[in-house]
Amino acid sequence: MGKTIKNRITLTLASVLSLAFTQVSAQDFQKGTEALEAGDFARAFKEWEPLAEKGDDDAQFNLGLMYDRGEGVAQDSAEAVKWYRLAAEQGNPIAQNSLGGFYYSGIGGVLKDHSEAVKWYRLAAKQGDNHGQFNLGLMYTYGNGVQQDNLKAHMWYNIASANGSVSGGKERDKREVLMSKSDITKATAMARECMASDYKKCGY
């Protein structure tokens, strides 16, 4: 009985410490955000780096972006890829899209690999990220890493547009010039099904 109570106390203490750590992390992250808004990129980097090293995917993405742009730290594409990948592997959709861009271009120490780019764009797209959705539309438009497919290109552009991408709407309309009315109707239905299924049924 005593052992059971002791275990419960230990678990409760662990939960309290975990909550406290989360609150401290949130405060530190906010300090980084405030520094960024004030234009102090170096201080923002300093606040986010320890959080990123402890596994915070938002902080990891922010470090990747800062290395990518050379803000608050010397520009370093390889370091950008490192932090983007860590965040992407935890499911961060913005990092997934960014990592896809590196594979598309073949920079940052990664080999150009359009199939790998499609993989990361798709992961971002299926989480509702309109940048990933737009980029996936581009891949289907030009047949990069996938078989060229106007229906799927239209579908992803349409979805990206529905999620706020102005470019998505423009590219969708460009595709329509090359498509029959029946294909446009089909692609539109595919987009509806994709979104209604929470990106589980997306024409493939």
Side-chain angles (χ1 to χ4, degrees), residues 50-81:
L51 298 179
E53 289 175 344
K54 290 174 182 176
D56 185 290
D57 66 292
D58 289 323
Q60 288 170 343
F61 168 75
N62 287 346
L63 257 60
L65 189 62
M66 296 181 87
Y67 274 115
D68 197 356
R69 296 179 175 177
E71 295 175 339
V73 66
Q75 197 281 334
D76 189 329
S77 294
E79 278 293 305
V81 167

Side-chain angles (χ1 to χ4, degrees), residues 111-127:
L111 295 175
K112 181 183 289 189
D113 187 335
H114 287 169
S115 295
E116 189 71 8
V118 167
K119 166 190 165 183
W120 292 108
Y121 289 151
R122 195 183 303 282
L123 286 170
K126 292 177 74 174
Q127 292 193 70

Side-chain angles (χ1 to χ4, degrees), residues 134-144 146-154 156-157 171-172 174-175 178:
F134 175 79
N135 286 330
L136 201 50
L138 286 176
M139 303 303 268
Y140 278 111
T141 294
Y142 298 106
N144 291 326
V146 290
Q147 185 174 348
Q148 199 283 333
D149 191 322
N150 283 334
L151 287 173
K152 290 179 182 177
H154 185 286
W156 284 115
Y157 288 143
E171 291 299 324
R172 175 201 59 211
K174 288 181 183 178
R175 286 296 96 195
L178 306 173

Side-chain angles (χ1 to χ4, degrees), residues 10-61:
T10 302
L11 287 171
T12 301
L13 179 59
S15 299
V16 170
L17 290 174
S18 176
L19 179 60
F21 174 75
T22 301
Q23 291 172 339
V24 170
S25 297
Q27 291 170 359
D28 290 342
F29 192 92
Q30 182 59 31
K31 288 179 184 178
T33 301
E34 290 170 359
L36 187 72
E37 291 172 348
D40 191 342
F41 296 106
R43 186 162 67 87
F45 185 91
K46 184 178 179 181
E47 293 291 347
W48 286 329
E49 186 176 30
L51 298 179
E53 289 175 344
K54 290 174 182 176
D56 185 290
D57 66 292
D58 289 323
Q60 288 170 343
F61 168 75

Side-chain angles (χ1 to χ4, degrees), residues 155-171:
M155 177 190 76
W156 284 115
Y157 288 143
N158 205 8
I159 292 170
S161 176
N163 285 320
S165 171
V166 175
S167 297
K170 291 178 179 178
E171 291 299 324

